[in-house]
Amino acid sequence: MNANMKSKKLPLYVQILIGLFLGLCWGVASSWLQFPAFITTEFIKPFGTVFVTLLKMIAVPLVLASLIVGVASLHDIRKLSRIGGKTISIYIGTTIIAITIGLTIANVVKPGKRLPESTRQQLMSTYTDKTTTSVSTVEKLKQRPLLQPMIDIFPDNITAAAADNTRMLQVVFFAMIMGVALIKIAPEKRNTLVAFFDALNDAIIQIVDFIMLFAPIGVFALISALIVEIAGDDISQAANLLNGLAWYTACVIVGLFIHAYIFYPILFRSVAKIGYMQFFRAIRAAQLVGFSTSSSNATLPVTMKRCQEGLGIPEEMTSFILPLGATINMDGTSLYQGVAAVFIAQALDIDLSLSDQLMILLTATLASIGSAGVPGAGMVMLVIVLESIQVPSAGIALIVAVDRILDMMRTVVNITGDITVAAVVTATEGKFEPVMVSEEE
Ligand code: ASP
């Protein structure tokens, strides 16, 4: 064996895949063999929690430092508004296409009509309690002024905003205005501050590397705990329920697949001229972390790193486009909401007119902008979509059983969508850099 081979480490995505696979085996085995659940929830799950916590820990400083440097180095405010306008329009355009795909599949396949009556009753009685939290959260949301999402962009206290991962948009706003201010002040002063944030940014990227060393263990812990929690102590009953929801689950998965693996490639191949395999190879570590954590926000540091190192998208673009995307662009979530709304209406025997379907298109687009990139956010916002078409929100009970699994998949699509738009906008600005580090990570 030569020295070269000895020192060769498995690529990160392979390590994460191994963690995922072993987590799956552990989860299934311990439910099957009826190991006490506390072994997994008390002794294994905490390692997953630590992994997600560490990723969240660096999300705010990363966005702050990289965005300030990114905006300040644009040297031109007109350019910033042009890139901003383009980014937001493409984000909304891709979301509308995602919902259209979801609605089309649900209307053609009619998964709600294929739900066995016995499963419907069982789901309604088992999960109604769990849905009341989402409904009461939405009740609170509904009492807010219509333009509250606009008010929410502006922080009243930047340290309070930075202390709360769900207020990322406020951090983005502050970082942008700080970057613009730096363009305006005297160069010698600007350079000091830009150099400071630049160094901070490099240090944080280094911390991402440290945290990712822990990724395989974190992913193992997250997946095994998830399976034990879903399966409970009766894995065959869980399997029966999943079986009853197979058509619905398949519709969501097929829709997500079409959007991520057929529609996005059309965009990044034609506009950004990136090859199919090259793109997905470069971003697979980010996709796997998104899948395991179900959170676009927690995955953001990895997404940014892979875009820069794997695709050659410069930091001045990623630092602006990706945090914005993690907060307002959720194609996977909105596609799922389209399918779920139609599925629930069908299962409850409620006919949806064309204008109801257009209403779903509108509210799911807004819900995608309004939902935070955290686990389960999409299901809470689904209540708003259902209410807008007068479908009882208690119908969510029908889909709760499979929501966690679908959340993992839609998060992958959400992240892939952000990266696709980042590539497209970068290409239209002619800003691609040569790929610096391996595509293989
Ligand atoms: N978990 C998703 C995300 O973070 C949001 C959702 O659909 O619940 O992107």
Side-chain angles (χ1 to χ4, degrees):
M1 201 186 286
N2 65 27
N4 213 0
M5 279 176 74
K6 252 193 243 162
S7 63
K8 204 164 174 203
K9 249 182 47 190
L10 284 176
L12 181 63
Y13 83 94
V14 178
Q15 296 180 33
I16 300 179
L17 271 179
I18 294 175
L20 205 80
F21 178 70
L22 293 179
L24 194 81
C25 294
W26 173 269
V28 171
S30 71
S31 304
W32 207 274
L33 303 173
Q34 306 206 326
F35 293 167
F38 79 89
I39 299 181
T40 309
T41 51
E42 298 289 320
F43 296 106
I44 296 181
K45 188 178 176 186
F47 291 94
T49 312
V50 169
F51 175 58
V52 177
T53 307
L54 289 173
L55 284 173
K56 288 192 198 153
M57 169 185 86
I58 45 165
V60 167
L62 177 64
V63 169
L64 204 60
S66 64
L67 192 48
I68 291 176
V69 177
V71 172
S73 54
L74 282 179
H75 300 299
D76 179 358
I77 296 163
R78 261 178 322 184
K79 202 151 102 194
L80 179 67
S81 37
R82 189 183 64 227
I83 296 175
K86 231 189 263 183
T87 306
I88 293 174
S89 325
I90 307 179
Y91 274 154
I92 294 177
T94 53
T95 302
I96 291 175
I97 290 173
I99 306 168
T100 311
I101 294 176
L103 288 177
T104 310
I105 295 180
N107 281 296
V108 172
V109 179
K110 300 200 182 354
K113 299 281 176 213
R114 297 169 191 265
L115 180 71
E117 180 53 28
S118 57
T119 317
R120 191 176 79 87
Q121 283 172 4
Q122 194 189 353
L123 288 168
M124 287 304 273
S125 62
T126 317
Y127 290 103
T128 302
D129 282 355
K130 288 203 179 169
T131 60
T132 41
T133 354
S134 322
V135 178
S136 66
T137 317
V138 170
E139 279 311 315
K140 277 192 216 128
L141 283 176
K142 280 201 309 204
Q143 284 155 13
R144 302 181 335 153
L146 204 62
L147 287 185
Q148 188 64 37
M150 183 197 77
I151 302 174
D152 285 345
I153 298 174
F154 306 99
D156 59 352
N157 180 325
I158 183 58
T159 41
D164 181 350
N165 274 321
T166 60
R167 290 165 69 179
M168 194 68 92
L169 218 47
Q170 300 187 345
V171 177
V172 169
F173 171 78
F174 177 78
M176 283 179 56
I177 202 158
M178 180 68 146
V180 171
L182 285 177
I183 296 176
K184 296 270 184 199
I185 64 173
E188 49 305 347
K189 293 191 178 161
R190 168 173 61 235
N191 295 345
T192 321
L193 216 50
V194 171
F196 166 78
F197 282 116
D198 202 18
L200 179 65
N201 193 33
D202 283 0
I204 292 166
I205 302 270
Q206 182 58 58
I207 298 178
V208 180
D209 279 342
F210 295 149
I211 298 172
M212 291 313 282
L213 292 175
F214 183 58
I217 297 174
V219 165
F220 166 80
L222 287 171
I223 299 299
S224 45
L226 177 71
I227 294 186
V228 168
E229 277 162 12
I230 291 182
D233 21 271
D234 190 350
I235 196 164
S236 55
Q237 199 201 342
N240 275 344
L241 271 186
L242 297 192
N243 211 2
L245 287 170
W247 280 103
Y248 160 71
T249 313
C251 286
V252 177
I253 295 177
V254 169
L256 292 176
F257 185 85
I258 294 175
H259 197 63
Y261 292 96
I262 297 177
F263 171 64
Y264 290 147
I266 297 177
L267 281 186
F268 67 68
R269 289 183 59 182
S270 59
V271 185
K273 311 275 179 262
I274 304 177
Y276 195 94
M277 291 316 287
Q278 183 198 357
F279 181 88
F280 286 109
R281 206 181 294 140
I283 68 163
R284 61 191 161 194
Q287 286 188 320
L288 285 170
V289 173
F291 182 78
S292 324
T293 59
S294 288
S295 167
S296 320
N297 276 3
T299 314
L300 185 60
V302 190
T303 315
M304 288 175 74
K305 195 162 187 295
R306 293 312 303 143
C307 275
Q308 281 159 225
E309 296 182 353
L311 291 174
I313 302 178
E315 195 182 323
E316 63 181 87
M317 307 297 279
T318 58
S319 62
F320 169 65
I321 300 174
L322 294 175
L324 198 67
T327 349
I328 69 162
N329 182 51
M330 309 228 165
D331 291 1
T333 302
S334 48
L335 186 151
Y336 137 87
Q337 287 171 337
V339 178
V342 175
F343 167 76
I344 294 171
Q346 288 168 348
L348 299 179
D349 262 334
I350 301 171
D351 280 331
L352 295 179
S353 61
L354 186 63
S355 63
D356 287 331
Q357 311 257 356
L358 289 175
M359 197 61 185
I360 297 178
L361 193 69
L362 178 73
T363 46
T365 307
L366 295 175
S368 124
I369 297 174
S371 8
V374 295
M379 198 180 71
V380 176
M381 296 309 252
L382 176 61
V383 180
I384 294 187
V385 180
L386 292 178
E387 302 240 333
S388 73
I389 49 169
Q390 277 90 44
V391 169
S393 31
I396 288 203
L398 296 172
I399 56 157
V400 176
V402 285
D403 203 68
R404 194 63 180 77
I405 298 168
L406 295 181
D407 194 3
M408 299 161 85
M409 299 187 188
R410 60 192 193 239
T411 307
V412 173
V413 178
N414 291 346
I415 292 166
T416 311
D418 298 343
I419 300 175
T420 303
V421 175
V424 167
V425 175
T426 304
T428 58
E429 291 288 316
K431 289 255 179 210
F432 269 108
E433 285 173 348
V435 172
M436 294 175 293
V437 184
S438 94
E439 291 173 5
E440 291 289 333
E441 196 175 327

